[in-house]
Amino acid sequence: MTHDPHDQRWLARAVELATANVGAGGGPFGALIVRDGAEVSTGVNRVTRDLDPTAHAEVVAIRLACTALETFSLEGCVLYTSCEPCPLCISAALWARVDRVVFAADRDHAAEGGFDDREFYDLFGRDRATWSMPVAHVTTGDDFAPFRTWLADEHRTHY
């Protein structure tokens, strides 16, 4: 991976956000989106504050950056985060099309700190039939209807 000479500065900012969030009663995660050397948005873990299991720091930063930039694509942006993104957050970064993700602490640090995401990484590598939460495909008889309607809409926004 190509490193930017400013990576450490932005990572320090992410760690600062995470540490401050703990002091405010939140989780130990902070993230920010940077474009062209400027901070676009920040996010901290708000899962317990917002009662939202998807309110991870990275997701919050991505949502706020998209709003600030008035786009759903964060091409040209970098996501800096205090800890290696979990599968939810790395998926959000992929969907947002950020150019790079740079993190400080890794998944082992997270596990040591009481946030063990390794079980999710392992889970996605296993057959769904072995999961503790069933994920079932049930057909409606016309499962493709939404996609057919989408494809027929010549004014749709491609993403």
Side-chain angles (χ1 to χ4, degrees):
M1 177 200 272
T2 304
H3 293 282
D4 182 292
H6 301 287
D7 284 350
Q8 286 188 318
R9 176 173 65 110
W10 293 118
L11 282 175
R13 174 84 170 112
V15 169
E16 175 186 288
L17 290 165
T19 304
N21 196 49
V22 172
F29 302 97
L32 59 147
I33 300 289
V34 174
R35 184 174 77 174
D36 298 327
E39 184 177 296
V40 176
S41 67
T42 64
V44 293
N45 183 282
R46 300 186 336 198
V47 170
T48 57
R49 189 194 89 182
D50 293 357
L51 304 177
D52 179 354
T54 68
H56 292 202
E58 298 89 339
V59 173
V60 172
I62 288 168
R63 288 174 180 162
L64 292 173
C66 288
T67 299
L69 298 173
E70 298 180 334
T71 181
F72 57 82
S73 175
L74 296 180
E75 290 180 56
C77 295
V78 178
L79 169 62
Y80 290 95
T81 180
S82 63
C83 189
E84 181 176 2
C86 72
L88 168 75
C89 295
I90 201 69
S91 296
L94 287 165
W95 276 109
R97 296 171 180 84
V98 298
D99 287 2
R100 294 189 307 135
V101 176
V102 183
F103 62 89
D106 63 22
R107 64 182 78 176
D108 295 321
H109 291 119
E112 186 178 334
F115 295 86
D116 194 352
D117 297 333
R118 291 177 297 200
E119 68 181 84
F120 295 120
Y121 287 102
D122 295 342
L123 178 71
F124 293 132
R126 295 196 323 252
D127 185 298
R128 284 187 183 172
T130 67
W131 292 13
S132 61
M133 179 189 69
V135 178
H137 173 234
V138 177
T139 186
T140 64
D142 192 12
D143 302 338
F144 196 72
F147 298 106
R148 191 170 33 262
T149 304
W150 166 259
L151 292 170
D153 182 357
E154 60 188 54
H155 301 293
R156 67 185 179 270
T157 302
H158 295 273
Y159 63 97

